[in-house]
Amino acid sequence: MTRNLLERAAPDPARAHGAWVYVCMSVLAGAASAGGEGWLAALFAGVAFIGVFLVASALALYPRKWKGRFLCGAGVATSALGIGLALGADPRFVVYASVAVFPAGAAVWFATRDGIQSPYALSFAVVALTVSAPAAACAGGADPTLGALLVLLLAPFFVWRTWVVQKHISTTKGLKRGDLRRAGLREAFIALLWTILSLAVVHVV
């Protein structure tokens, strides 16, 4: 079984459905939760997380066309991290961001075994991306409990929406590129609305 897993081509995390929507929404939620003067440092910390995501997705492609994405991600992560720290980001946000390694590793394992569209792979991948919310919030000086609340609000909803879309795609025949694009835009709008609602809850708490 292990040999079969290693022989399969690793899936591309950056092409997973909703990946970019969920990581961007999570970063924006974290930055908005920081509030005050820390929001900009939090935003750059979140962008650094996105850079690391690009690096990870590039490594998943190796030995296919990976170098360009790797260099781009490393450049984004390094520059955004430097700018964020210069703006006063709390360096402990790196610790929060590193938590994403565990769900990301689980997502890769399930994706390699069952395919990138498997429920477990999708679930762990989404959780890994939403870790960018507490990481960014921490960088901006927010309380750790606020970051945990963000994950509890965002991750289950994003996982559920991912399942809904995956089921729709797998059970609907004759879907065209335009249909997928419209579905993606609809899900992005739904994710935005939920993110705004989650931020309202966070600020009330």
Side-chain angles (χ1 to χ4, degrees):
M1 179 178 177
T2 302
R3 182 179 179 182
N4 291 335
L5 291 177
L6 294 175
E7 289 176 348
R8 292 186 185 181
D12 184 357
R15 294 179 65 85
H17 178 80
W20 287 105
V21 170
Y22 296 142
V23 71
C24 289
M25 290 299 168
S26 298
V27 167
L28 291 176
S33 298
E37 298 179 355
W39 71 270
L40 190 56
L43 182 61
F44 275 101
V47 173
F49 188 100
I50 293 176
V52 173
F53 171 61
L54 280 173
V55 169
S57 67
L59 293 175
L61 292 178
Y62 184 86
R64 291 173 284 167
K65 298 179 180 180
W66 65 281
K67 185 176 290 187
R69 189 189 296 184
F70 179 88
L71 293 175
C72 177
V76 169
T78 303
S79 57
L81 176 61
I83 294 172
L85 292 175
L87 291 172
D90 187 336
R92 291 179 297 178
F93 85 89
V94 176
V95 177
Y96 288 85
S98 65
V99 174
V101 170
F102 300 102
V108 170
W109 192 86
F110 281 112
T112 305
R113 190 190 71 170
D114 304 324
I116 197 170
Q117 296 297 329
S118 69
Y120 290 120
L122 292 173
S123 299
F124 281 109
V126 170
V127 172
L129 295 177
T130 56
V131 171
S132 59
C138 171
D143 189 89
T145 56
L146 185 147
L149 179 59
L150 276 177
V151 172
L152 291 175
L153 288 169
L154 296 177
F157 185 82
F158 289 166
V159 166
W160 170 61
R161 292 309 306 172
T162 301
W163 285 355
V164 169
V165 173
Q166 192 276 334
K167 184 177 181 180
H168 172 68
I169 292 175
S170 62
T171 57
T172 304
K173 297 181 179 179
L175 284 176
K176 299 180 180 179
R177 182 172 298 180
D179 298 323
L180 295 175
R181 185 180 297 111
R182 283 189 292 273
L185 290 174
R186 182 179 64 250
E187 289 304 315
F189 181 68
I190 292 173
L192 176 61
L193 289 180
W194 182 257
T195 301
I196 293 173
L197 179 60
S198 299
L199 286 172
V201 172
V202 166
H203 284 294
V204 167
V205 174

